[in-house]
Amino acid sequence: MKILVNGKIVQIQKEANLVDFIEINFSSLTSYAIALNGEFVPKSKYQDVNIKNGDKIEVVSAQPGG
Amino acid sequence: MQIYDIKLKTKIILGSSGYPSPKIFLNCIKILKCEMVTVSIRRVNKSQDNAFFELIKKTKCHILPNTAGCLSSREAIATAEMSREIFETNLIKLEVIEDDITLKPSMKNTIKAAETLIKKGFEVLPYTTDDFKFAKAMESIGCKVIMPWGSQIGSGRGLENPEKLIKIRQEFPQLTLIVDAGIGRISHVCEAFEIGYDGILLNSAVSKSDYPEEFSRALGLSVEAVERSIRSGLIPKRSYASPSTSSIGLPFKK
């Protein structure tokens, strides 16, 4: 299935929840947060959220800002 | 300066963007004895590390995440929630802009986002224009800190409408008021404090100066100078001249 990760199309081979998704794609990150289809998803819910075809995922981390 | 439950000894909140190096950023914090810094969140890439997060933790400053660049209340709410999870703070500098050109805050969308965020337990510091109605709306929904612009973000034009900022100060003596955006020169900082504002939030004026550490020294000195001058008691402004030399005994008079 195809999903959009940070604005780019990504192909996913099998069903995954958000824990699997992070482990596969962003394993080096320790500090991050996720929004799914425009809504914030708390870390405590990652295990329960299964990624579906067409989902839009934003993965963000701390950056400089004014 | 009171930021909700946090009492800061300093009057400067420093942005963390655009410094020539992390070391220079850390030096500026040290020079200013800064206790609160602003940060943002942005999309990560696969090779990204946690360097900035570790740098910010190293400052031991209070962290004030922003929602910079958000064009809708929905984006701002999700950004605030993601920031809270990353930085573990309820504080949020709420910016919801009308467009990418002027970066002017949207009154309608800022109010809408602030109402939801306050219900979700956030301590909201809204970035507003100098429009009294905008400030009034933020106060009425429960914001304890309001941050009107001096002028457009990054413009360095200072306080373009001091009379409007003074009106906000007069109407809300109980609120913490911080001039956010437009500060470019030390004289702008002095003017903001002289009209009674509690603090300044600035970034570009420091980080984009040729020598950020030297600008920080100047900034620290100016805050001390203007505070001392205010404590000493400023004379009121008058519409007409008032001679400082006595007219008693003036020669050549009849």
Side-chain angles (χ1 to χ4, degrees):
Chain A
M1 59 185 167
K2 282 181 185 173
I3 60 171
L4 214 56
V5 180
N6 287 346
K8 289 180 184 164
I9 297 171
V10 172
Q11 191 85 36
I12 287 196
Q13 302 301 332
K14 54 172 188 169
E15 280 190 7
N17 62 29
L18 286 178
V19 174
D20 306 326
F21 168 78
I22 287 291
E23 276 176 9
I24 293 164
N25 294 286
F26 298 99
S27 56
S28 64
L29 275 182
T30 55
S31 170
Y32 58 88
I34 291 180
L36 177 67
N37 300 323
E39 303 289 337
F40 166 64
V41 182
K43 278 201 173 62
S44 57
K45 303 276 184 197
Y46 286 2
Q47 193 75 48
D48 308 327
V49 177
N50 291 313
I51 296 170
K52 298 189 293 294
N53 189 44
D55 274 349
K56 293 175 183 170
I57 302 176
E58 298 284 343
V59 185
V60 298
S61 70
Q63 294 294 316
Chain B
M1 176 164 63
Q2 196 71 36
I3 309 290
Y4 288 86
D5 292 334
I6 299 169
K7 178 92 174 165
L8 300 179
K9 286 179 194 152
T10 54
K11 289 172 173 281
I12 302 289
I13 299 174
L14 194 61
S16 58
S17 187
Y19 293 82
S21 72
K23 186 171 185 292
I24 290 176
F25 171 53
L26 292 178
N27 285 345
C28 292
I29 288 175
K30 199 173 168 187
I31 290 163
L32 285 164
K33 300 186 178 75
C34 197
E35 297 167 290
M36 183 172 277
V37 291
T38 57
V39 297
S40 69
I41 55 168
R42 288 292 180 263
R43 285 171 168 172
V44 298
N45 57 53
K46 285 196 172 186
S47 59
Q48 202 164 320
D49 59 20
N50 304 290
F52 181 72
F53 187 70
E54 296 304 322
L55 177 75
I56 283 293
K57 278 204 296 190
K58 207 170 159 184
T59 69
K60 296 193 169 64
C61 287
H62 296 284
I63 297 173
L64 177 57
N66 70 28
T67 63
C70 289
L71 287 159
S72 70
S73 56
R74 187 171 183 235
E75 285 176 14
I77 291 162
T79 300
E81 291 181 298
M82 289 192 282
S83 297
R84 176 157 70 179
E85 188 172 77
I86 290 173
F87 299 110
E88 298 177 335
T89 175
N90 285 325
L91 294 172
I92 190 77
K93 178 190 167 189
L94 180 61
E95 292 182 56
V96 195
I97 53 173
E98 280 182 6
D99 60 77
D100 291 329
I101 308 299
T102 66
L103 307 179
K104 183 183 179 185
S106 158
M107 183 166 158
K108 184 181 150 198
N109 290 331
T110 304
I111 293 167
K112 199 171 162 189
E115 282 173 338
T116 302
L117 290 171
I118 289 169
K119 281 180 196 156
K120 287 175 180 275
F122 282 88
E123 294 171 328
V124 177
L125 292 81
Y127 165 58
T128 73
T129 64
D130 49 25
D131 183 345
F132 170 74
K133 283 183 287 183
F134 199 157
K136 174 75 183 159
M138 301 319 301
E139 185 265 349
S140 66
I141 60 174
C143 295
K144 308 287 183 210
V145 182
I146 296 178
M147 306 203 295
W149 69 2
S151 47
Q152 291 178 2
I153 293 175
S155 70
R157 296 203 299 262
L159 313 190
E160 287 194 315
N161 297 296
E163 295 304 322
K164 287 185 164 187
L165 292 170
I166 289 168
K167 180 170 171 59
I168 295 171
R169 175 74 287 173
Q170 287 171 340
E171 294 293 330
F172 304 116
Q174 78 284 12
L175 296 181
T176 298
L177 296 179
I178 297 169
V179 173
D180 176 12
I183 299 293
R185 298 172 186 220
I186 293 299
S187 56
H188 303 152
V189 175
C190 293
E191 187 180 9
F193 290 127
E194 283 170 353
I195 63 170
Y197 274 61
D198 300 287
I200 297 286
L201 195 162
L202 80 175
N203 190 153
S204 305
V206 181
S207 68
K208 293 185 178 168
S209 65
D210 288 342
Y211 303 101
E213 289 136 315
E214 189 62 4
F215 191 91
S216 297
R217 283 183 200 99
L219 184 57
L221 290 169
S222 72
V223 173
E224 187 187 341
V226 74
E227 280 187 306
R228 278 175 182 260
S229 74
I230 291 166
R231 279 200 303 270
S232 70
L234 302 175
I235 63 166
K237 287 185 178 178
R238 293 171 184 271
S239 302
Y240 301 101
S242 173
S244 52
T245 304
S246 171
S247 56
I248 300 167
L250 184 67
F252 315 119
K253 289 282 184 188
K254 286 183 182 173

